[in-house]
Amino acid sequence: MVYLRSLFLIIAGFAAGINAKSSTGDSVLVIVEPKQQDNYNLFFSGLKEQGYDLTFRAPKAEAPALIEYDVPAFAHVIVLASETKVFARDITPQSLVQLLAKKTNLIVALSPKQTPLTSLAAEFSLTLPPPGTPLVSYFPAREGPANVIPVSVPAKHTILSPNLHPVWFSGVPHTIGNNPLLVPILRAPAESFASETDGGSADSLVDSAERGGEGLWAGSQQGLVTGFQTLDGSRITWVGGADVFSDEYAKKEVSKGVPSGNLQFARDVAKWTFQETNVLRIDRTTHNRVNSTESLDQYTTNDQIEYAAYISKYDSKTGNWAPCTCLKDLQLEFTMLDPHIRTALLPVAAEPGKYATTFRAPDRHGVFKFVINYKRKGMSFLESSTTVAVVPPRHDGYPRFLSAAWPYYTGAISTSVAFFLFSAVWLASEAREKKAKGHKAE
Amino acid sequence: MAPKSSSPAASNVVHSLWKAYSDQTSDRLKFIDAFLVFLMLSGVAQFLYCILITDYPFNAFLAGFSSNVGQFVLTASLRSQVNPENKNEFKEVSPERAFADFALGSIVLHFFVYNFLG
């Protein structure tokens, strides 16, 4: 009986392992007010179905800790307590940044209220409007409050599923700074603006416009949901309002008979943030001379060099890394301080996941690097650098007896031959003269 | 009519110079001169090839050209040492000694030239 139970446990563990859908881990900590926990049941059950291990924690509860003995306790953290002003001691903006640095992924919800997290958003180049001014829009004409807005989703997006239905949103917008690590996911509708809902009048708009445009938060340049990928690869997504994930909005129809896209949108955002999608890695790189397979530490100037990189993408359906022929704009640089050669690294049709190119080493010796530096919004960054030396040919490595030099060879040889002939004739004539002199003397 | 009269005179000068050279120079010195002319022409040809067509490989040019120049210098000194008119200046150098110096110098020169040529 005991055996049977342990066998069952092993099988269950194995099944859980198969269900592991994130490339970095399955444990998720959800920080949410206990009262509101039931508002997000659909979102949470979706995560559980995908194989995540959810742990709930009230914002003021002391346990479970985010970081234990300097090691993050969870692979992912969702902060849905968007209106909470006082958190437990270990939930601070600093600790969230520390989590990111330790490769934990975060989803952080904001609200029109001023909370400790509002100031953290500014550190990610997201600027929030003044407190108490949620996003408001009177278009399209609809029933319900003006700050609950259907936002249409771009049909093609690297992170979101194609052709999503509009998403219900209520919360606060932000402007997106020029930080290149930011990944805009959802932008505000063009007719929307940030304003006090109870006022909501034209006067407040005019007021803010008179302040030199400052404080005027309007238009489609505002972001509602924005991702951020650190150079280490960890991801954080800022969501303007926690209600995007709520059951209420997931069930709410956008128009008659058209369901909202909230549930799928929330899943897509979670998938990206928890490193299920758009996760790439370089398995290995090889370099060698053309017509050779040996990897050398040093190449000679003007050598023909073959370079190949093997890239795979994480497949969250199987939980495996699969070779990926999906990149069309990969580049290889051969650099010594500056790239001496920058060339396209194209996929090889015969071998999935292999990207290869052939190039001539520059006519310049020194310490060079093969560099792949692929950074695209929404994709994990690919970086690889291999150092090799490029040396001039050895003293006997130069080409010899060139056809262009034949005049010089002929010149040298003819001089020698002429010298021998001259010497021979000279000596012969000397001997003859002596003979003649000898005859005379006799 | 100065130019017209001077032209025959100039050709006359060249002609008499050539005549004097053929009459007064010994056969041995003429033989040396022929060798010098050959070396000069060969050097000029290589220099033109280098300037007009290619100086690559440059070491081959240097070897070929310097073998001509060096051989020219050695031969010219041989000529001045065996010339009977210079007997007073080279009292202690017999023609045989001069030729031996020339031959040794040339062999050393060619040794360096072939080392540098490839």
Side-chain angles (χ1 to χ4, degrees):
Chain A
M1 196 62 200
V2 175
Y3 283 119
L4 211 69
R5 192 179 293 165
S6 65
L7 192 69
F8 175 74
L9 277 177
I10 287 167
I11 290 171
F14 193 61
I18 284 174
N19 268 340
K21 293 309 180 201
S22 163
S23 60
T24 58
D26 304 327
S27 53
V28 181
L29 178 70
V30 185
I31 300 173
V32 62
E33 292 283 0
K35 279 182 216 157
Q36 293 169 357
Q37 190 174 324
D38 288 339
N39 295 354
Y40 308 104
N41 272 337
L42 282 175
F43 176 54
F44 293 150
S45 62
L47 287 179
K48 278 177 193 156
E49 271 169 35
Q50 278 174 293
Y52 286 106
D53 238 345
L54 299 193
T55 310
F56 294 95
R57 175 179 173 186
K60 282 172 193 147
E62 293 295 328
L66 291 175
I67 302 173
E68 270 179 317
Y69 306 115
D70 236 17
V71 175
F74 297 91
H76 318 285
V77 174
I78 305 177
V79 184
L80 286 178
S82 59
E83 304 200 342
T84 309
K85 298 210 173 184
V86 184
F87 285 92
R89 251 177 307 157
D90 68 329
I91 306 175
T92 59
Q94 287 81 359
S95 70
L96 293 184
V97 170
Q98 208 182 340
L99 278 179
L100 264 189
K102 292 179 187 297
K103 305 205 172 181
T104 303
N105 305 305
L106 298 171
I107 292 180
V108 181
L110 298 167
S111 75
K113 289 186 182 165
Q114 181 102 27
T115 70
L117 299 178
T118 319
S119 55
L120 181 60
E123 305 295 331
F124 290 81
S125 296
L126 306 178
T127 318
L128 295 168
T133 54
L135 192 71
V136 167
S137 175
Y138 296 99
F139 299 93
R142 63 191 185 277
E143 282 176 21
N147 65 337
V148 179
I149 306 163
V151 184
S152 54
V153 180
K156 258 187 103 177
H157 195 280
T158 51
I159 293 170
L160 304 174
S161 320
N163 303 319
L164 272 184
H165 290 297
V167 169
W168 286 106
F169 178 88
S170 83
V172 68
H174 47 251
T175 54
I176 297 169
N178 56 5
N179 191 324
L181 302 175
L182 285 170
V183 187
I185 299 175
L186 190 66
R187 289 192 185 266
E191 312 86 13
S192 63
F193 54 92
S195 166
E196 292 157 10
T197 28
D198 46 349
S201 60
D203 288 348
S204 62
L205 254 185
V206 170
D207 268 1
S208 58
E210 271 173 359
R211 271 177 277 151
E214 201 169 310
L216 182 61
W217 303 79
S220 59
Q221 284 307 303
Q222 303 172 101
L224 302 180
V225 179
T226 302
F228 183 99
Q229 181 168 261
T230 65
L231 291 174
D232 289 340
S234 52
R235 293 168 175 176
I236 176 168
T237 302
W238 294 92
V239 183
D243 288 341
V244 174
F245 300 120
S246 69
D247 297 352
E248 187 197 344
Y249 286 4
K251 286 176 190 158
K252 189 171 172 156
E253 288 183 343
V254 177
S255 57
K256 266 226 150 51
V258 180
S260 76
N262 277 52
L263 198 57
Q264 188 57 42
F265 177 82
R267 273 182 193 160
D268 289 343
V269 168
K271 270 185 176 179
W272 180 79
T273 314
F274 296 167
Q275 311 225 12
E276 284 184 42
T277 55
N278 294 3
V279 182
L280 300 167
R281 74 173 181 199
I282 298 178
D283 290 331
R284 63 197 171 96
T285 59
T286 63
H287 55 90
N288 52 267
R289 263 200 213 120
V290 169
N291 299 329
S292 144
T293 51
E294 192 189 357
S295 209
L296 300 173
D297 288 338
Q298 66 177 39
Y299 292 92
T300 308
T301 52
N302 296 326
D303 265 356
Q304 289 287 330
I305 301 179
E306 250 173 15
Y307 180 90
Y310 296 80
I311 291 174
S312 46
K313 187 175 189 174
Y314 184 73
D315 183 358
S316 61
K317 285 190 184 112
T318 60
N320 286 327
W321 293 86
C324 152
T325 318
C326 42
L327 307 179
K328 302 282 179 257
D329 51 354
L330 198 62
Q331 284 185 330
L332 170 71
E333 288 173 359
F334 197 52
T335 64
M336 179 168 66
L337 297 183
D338 298 317
H340 283 53
I341 284 170
R342 181 185 283 140
T343 179
L345 204 54
L346 295 171
V348 176
E351 261 182 273
K354 181 181 179 184
Y355 296 75
T357 190
T358 302
F359 63 92
R360 184 175 66 83
D363 196 2
R364 177 87 188 266
H365 63 268
V367 177
F368 280 82
K369 282 191 287 188
F370 296 102
V371 175
I372 292 179
N373 189 358
Y374 185 81
K375 295 196 170 83
R376 294 292 181 275
K377 274 188 193 290
M379 311 290 277
S380 47
F381 303 147
L382 295 178
E383 282 172 295
S384 161
S385 166
T386 315
T387 307
V388 292
V390 174
V391 298
R394 293 176 64 85
H395 71 283
D396 57 353
Y398 291 94
R400 305 185 75 184
F401 305 117
L402 309 168
S403 57
W406 270 111
Y408 306 132
Y409 301 151
T410 326
I413 292 167
S414 67
T415 309
S416 300
V417 170
F419 162 70
F420 280 113
L421 288 178
F422 175 83
S423 304
V425 171
W426 181 273
L427 290 173
S429 71
E430 201 161 64
R432 207 167 49 214
E433 257 173 40
K434 262 187 188 159
K435 231 180 190 176
K437 267 186 189 168
H439 278 296
K440 256 182 195 170
E442 271 175 40
Chain B
M1 294 292 126
K4 259 194 181 172
S5 66
S6 82
S7 162
S11 78
N12 216 12
V13 167
V14 171
H15 187 73
S16 62
L17 181 67
W18 176 249
K19 199 159 187 263
Y21 173 78
S22 345
D23 288 351
Q24 295 171 18
T25 315
S26 69
D27 284 350
R28 305 201 103 192
L29 292 187
K30 277 185 191 162
F31 184 46
I32 292 182
D33 289 336
F35 188 37
L36 289 175
V37 168
F38 162 73
L39 290 173
M40 194 178 71
L41 291 179
S42 169
V44 167
Q46 285 180 56
F47 195 67
L48 287 180
Y49 180 80
C50 171
I51 290 177
L52 298 178
I53 299 174
T54 175
D55 65 349
Y56 178 80
F58 196 61
N59 60 318
F61 163 71
L62 287 180
F65 189 68
S66 58
S67 90
N68 281 131
V69 172
Q71 191 67 65
F72 188 91
V73 170
L74 288 169
T75 314
S77 34
L78 174 69
R79 188 189 191 280
S80 63
Q81 285 177 18
V82 299
N83 195 343
E85 285 174 28
N86 295 343
K87 231 169 196 170
N88 290 332
E89 273 192 57
F90 300 106
K91 269 179 195 153
E92 69 280 15
V93 183
S94 68
E96 288 78 13
R97 164 76 196 276
F99 180 75
D101 285 349
F102 162 77
L104 184 67
S106 300
I107 289 168
V108 171
L109 171 73
H110 288 253
F111 177 76
F112 280 107
V113 162
Y114 285 105
N115 261 312
F116 207 54
L117 194 66

